[in-house]
Amino acid sequence: MASPAANMKIDGDRLWDSLMEMAQIGPGIAGGNNRQTVTDEDGEGRALFAKWCKAAGMSMGLDTMGNMFARREGTDPDALPVYVGSHLDTQPTGGKYDGVLGVLGGLELIRTLNDLDIKTKHPIVVTNWTNEEGTRFAPAMLSSGVFAGMHTQDWAYAREDADGKKFGDELARIGWQGDEEVGARKMHAMFELHIEQGPILEIEGKDVGVVTHGQGLSWTQVTILGKDSHTGSTPMPMRKNAGLGMARVLEKVEEIALSHAPHAVGAAGHIDVFPNSRNVIPGKVVFTVDLRSPDLAVIEDMEARLAAAVKEICDTMGLGYEMEKVGGFDPVTFDEGCVSAVRNAAERLGYSHMNLISGAGHDACWINRVAPTAMIMCPCVDGLSHNEAEEISKEWAVAGTDVLLHAVVETAEIVK
């Protein structure tokens, strides 16, 4: 593979301006974004991205899950494309960079190649994966999961949001449901640039994270059933308090995760309490326990101990319960060749770097199952993400995108 020239750099001002322009679509209430998947705002963001891709001379493909594929041709019509991208959808209180940096960083590397009139043997395709966040339609990474064969399209189309609207119907409504068969594309490799969403790079003073592995994830929805009753007049020994049962389970979740320190984590992020009234003892709670580790055996141990804890606590308290695994994936080991391309790029450019294990799920985790894949991370302030206060510096964005450019171009092979 031909290595790109060491002095090849992206236009940092143009990248930053694109990030800020995209952030004007679906603004949040505290400086971030609310551009949830397959909403009108998502449709607006897609249209802007498509306009920019057309201006950069790329053709646009669209599959039946709404995944967008902007293609820059290579010199060899038989060479498989190198893919690069992430997602444009956000959390309800999301930041301006989570996912978006990876998509617009991909666009910027194409613009840079155009500026420098550099041709590659392999085509390069910039991708916007639909519904990475999973906040409106669970699970996360829904469309890349269908692409990789982890979910069926019919199952994905039937996912419902809190208002009972189906994903497939909403995708069609906003006009971004394509005709291309999902998963039919073949890839030479894929690279995803993302903010770290954790504090390690900033604490260590590193410009770039070379992501070698991704944590595995297990989501278990737990329903605990008690009895609604008056908080003031129900004697303590006669209560069937589902809320208290949940509290005791969550104490066990903390204990289980800490027993596998430092890499395992666990918490409940989604909690519904019924009837959720000030003077009614909860008769039902529904919550999702999120367990993660880079070691599959650890995840399996945590799942088994969670199930045992729920049974013991509920049996002791006279509560009913149900458990359902609603999401998850095994730990990921990214492709050695792609990871080396990222590391080599950082070294060639003189950026400080370190190996990282991603604590979050990303589209690259699913695509790694069907093509050689790697990730690049840049720091974010205080490790804060999924929050409107999420922030990165222009310098961090530029460093990550420079490394992305070099790794992609090395893999796509410059034509002299």
Side-chain angles (χ1 to χ4, degrees):
M1 295 186 292
S3 295
N7 61 351
M8 186 171 64
K9 301 286 184 69
I10 60 106
D11 184 331
D13 291 336
R14 181 171 58 193
L15 171 64
W16 198 254
D17 288 346
S18 297
L19 288 166
M20 294 306 105
E21 187 171 346
M22 183 61 73
Q24 298 304 307
I25 298 175
I29 59 174
N33 281 105
N34 181 6
R35 197 170 52 246
Q36 295 179 62
T37 195
V38 294
T39 57
D40 292 341
E41 292 79 9
D42 183 21
E44 290 180 47
R46 289 166 172 266
L48 178 59
F49 173 59
K51 182 181 80 170
W52 284 338
C53 291
K54 182 178 180 180
M58 291 186 280
S59 59
M60 182 64 71
L62 185 68
D63 72 16
T64 50
M65 285 296 293
N67 297 314
M68 300 173 69
F69 302 102
R71 177 178 173 122
R72 183 185 196 254
E73 293 298 337
T75 60
D76 183 348
D78 297 322
L80 291 177
V82 176
Y83 283 68
V84 55
S86 192
H87 60 97
L88 293 174
D89 69 312
T90 77
Q91 292 282 330
T93 53
K96 299 188 287 287
Y97 312 101
D98 173 1
V100 185
L101 176 63
V103 178
L104 299 188
L107 172 63
E108 175 54 35
L109 77 82
I110 298 296
R111 289 168 164 173
T112 299
L113 294 178
N114 290 345
D115 291 345
L116 299 175
D117 194 26
I118 291 175
K119 295 179 173 58
T120 59
K121 173 184 173 181
H122 295 260
I124 299 173
V125 176
V126 183
T127 304
N128 170 36
W129 298 103
T130 304
N131 190 28
E132 191 274 351
E133 293 292 0
T135 185
R136 184 180 177 201
F137 298 97
M141 302 121 65
L142 181 67
S143 294
S144 57
V146 175
F147 187 98
M150 305 308 299
H151 316 303
T152 67
Q153 181 171 281
D154 288 346
W155 181 84
Y157 274 9
R159 297 301 89 204
E160 294 185 358
D161 67 6
D163 297 322
K165 295 178 180 179
K166 289 183 167 58
F167 170 82
D169 295 341
E170 287 292 274
L171 178 63
R173 182 188 67 79
I174 67 167
W176 286 95
Q177 182 184 49
D179 297 325
E180 180 184 315
E181 179 187 353
V182 66
R185 290 172 172 258
K186 303 303 179 187
M187 301 179 177
H188 181 58
M190 180 189 158
F191 294 86
E192 180 171 3
L193 169 64
H194 209 280
I195 65 171
E196 183 191 352
Q197 300 182 289
I200 297 172
L201 290 174
E202 186 183 28
I203 290 171
E204 297 293 333
K206 302 296 185 183
D207 302 316
V208 171
V210 180
V211 184
T212 59
H213 296 78
Q215 281 190 326
L217 176 152
S218 170
W219 283 351
T220 299
Q221 181 172 286
V222 182
T223 301
I224 296 181
L225 303 168
K227 185 176 182 179
D228 301 355
S229 58
H230 198 292
T231 56
S233 55
T234 306
M236 295 298 288
M238 296 180 63
R239 300 181 178 210
K240 293 187 180 294
N241 187 341
L244 178 60
M246 177 183 69
R248 289 178 177 171
V249 169
L250 294 185
E251 280 191 330
K252 293 296 292 185
V253 169
E254 184 85 356
E255 177 186 316
I256 291 166
L258 283 171
S259 74
H260 289 291
H263 294 304
V265 293
H270 176 205
I271 297 173
D272 290 318
V273 179
F274 302 92
N276 202 25
S277 177
R278 289 180 177 84
N279 59 351
V280 179
I281 296 166
K284 176 182 176 181
V285 293
V286 181
F287 57 102
T288 301
V289 176
D290 183 326
L291 301 170
R292 305 190 188 205
S293 169
D295 185 333
L296 180 59
V298 169
I299 292 176
E300 292 172 343
D301 176 74
M302 292 195 293
E303 287 177 329
R305 289 166 64 187
L306 170 65
V310 171
K311 182 181 189 308
E312 179 182 359
I313 289 166
C314 291
D315 287 352
T316 300
M317 297 179 65
L319 301 169
Y321 68 91
E322 299 170 359
M323 298 181 68
E324 178 188 3
K325 187 167 182 178
V326 292
F329 51 85
D330 291 347
V332 172
T333 300
F334 288 114
D335 178 75
E336 289 185 10
C338 292
V339 170
S340 293
V342 172
R343 188 179 293 109
N344 293 343
E347 292 175 355
R348 189 161 54 239
L349 291 162
Y351 289 125
S352 60
H353 59 89
M354 64 180 291
N355 290 347
L356 274 184
I357 296 173
S358 173
H362 300 283
D363 293 308
C365 295
W366 282 145
I367 302 306
N368 189 62
R369 291 174 171 264
V370 294
T373 304
M375 292 192 70
I376 303 158
M377 287 187 171
C378 80
C380 56
V381 176
D382 294 331
L384 189 64
S385 183
H386 287 190
N387 186 307
E388 292 199 56
E390 171 187 282
E391 193 57 72
I392 67 174
S393 71
K394 182 195 284 189
E395 291 73 22
W396 290 341
V398 168
T401 308
D402 278 340
V403 171
L404 179 72
L405 168 66
H406 278 246
V408 168
V409 171
E410 178 179 333
T411 307
E413 300 181 46
I414 286 179
V415 176
K416 300 294 186 181

